[in-house]
Amino acid sequence: GGELCIGDRVIPKHSGNTLKILGAHLGMRGQTVLAVQQRIRAAWHYWGQRRHIFTAKVVGRRQRLRLMSRLLGAVVLWGKESWCLTQREIDEMNGAHVRMARQTLVLSRIWAEFPERYHQRTFREARRWLDELGIERWGDRALALHHRWAGHVGRHRTLLRDAVHHR
């Protein structure tokens, strides 16, 4: 095996054991590590281009966090319905969300505070803000959307079975 057949068309493999589908590299065995990392890099790029918006202190922290989570969540979660996520990938998405929230909050370092202590404190504070605002983390949202999509596909199992087969 190694090729994916849809109807009479054969989709060739990319480098290694991955297929490039809708711009994302998906593993032949369902791994989505490359796709998740690619989407997180795209979100960081988007955040960097709009840093002046996400860190503007004239806008309240609540509005900045909601805006960042909504806009960058769309970037990270694009095309995620068909991803079979592992716990590592979910944790990676959640961690990226908290790191971007920490950057958006623009938390300053207390004088004479050790760098490790500063990172721990700001990470906890960013998680607290996200929880307080009821913002769902990206990895958890991706998993919920995948389950909803899988239920939809499961209801149309006969159509899917007839259209897709592996050889």
Side-chain angles (χ1 to χ4, degrees):
E3 295 177 330
L4 178 65
C5 299
I6 300 177
D8 58 348
R9 294 188 60 194
V10 176
I11 299 174
K13 287 194 302 184
H14 195 262
S15 63
N17 280 332
T18 63
L19 293 169
K20 187 171 184 178
I21 300 174
L22 296 175
H25 295 280
L26 303 177
M28 292 295 287
R29 295 190 181 134
Q31 312 97 321
T32 55
V33 175
L34 293 174
V36 169
Q37 291 171 349
Q38 178 186 17
R39 301 312 310 156
I40 289 172
R41 277 194 305 273
W44 274 113
H45 178 74
Y46 188 91
W47 191 94
Q49 287 180 330
R50 287 146 184 90
R51 173 185 295 255
H52 62 283
I53 296 170
F54 295 133
T55 60
K57 292 193 177 187
V58 294
V59 180
R61 286 181 173 176
R62 292 175 190 270
Q63 288 80 17
R64 286 191 318 221
L65 276 177
R66 283 192 178 119
L67 179 69
M68 182 275 305
S69 293
R70 184 77 48 105
L71 292 177
L72 298 180
V75 173
V76 171
L77 298 176
W78 179 82
K80 79 299 176 195
E81 290 90 358
S82 60
W83 294 353
C84 294
L85 296 170
T86 64
Q87 188 60 45
R88 175 181 169 225
E89 294 158 346
I90 292 169
D91 292 342
E92 197 169 331
M93 292 170 78
N94 287 340
H97 191 186
V98 173
R99 283 190 299 278
M100 288 182 206
R102 182 172 65 181
Q103 293 292 321
T104 301
L105 289 171
V106 191
L107 301 170
S108 58
R109 188 171 161 198
I110 300 170
W111 184 80
E113 183 177 28
F114 289 113
E116 299 86 20
R117 190 86 173 122
Y118 165 73
H119 290 296
Q120 291 171 357
R121 179 180 59 83
T122 57
F123 199 79
R124 277 194 308 270
E125 192 167 340
R127 281 196 332 229
R128 184 183 58 79
W129 272 92
L130 291 172
D131 292 342
E132 185 179 300
L133 293 174
I135 297 172
E136 190 174 21
R137 305 245 172 79
W138 295 332
D140 300 335
R141 179 80 178 134
L143 189 61
L145 290 171
H146 174 70
H147 287 157
R148 188 170 68 185
W149 177 81
H152 170 72
V153 171
R155 287 189 294 275
H156 300 286
R157 185 176 308 243
T158 56
L159 295 173
L160 186 65
R161 185 179 54 232
D162 295 339
V164 177
H165 67 279
H166 294 275
R167 62 174 165 169

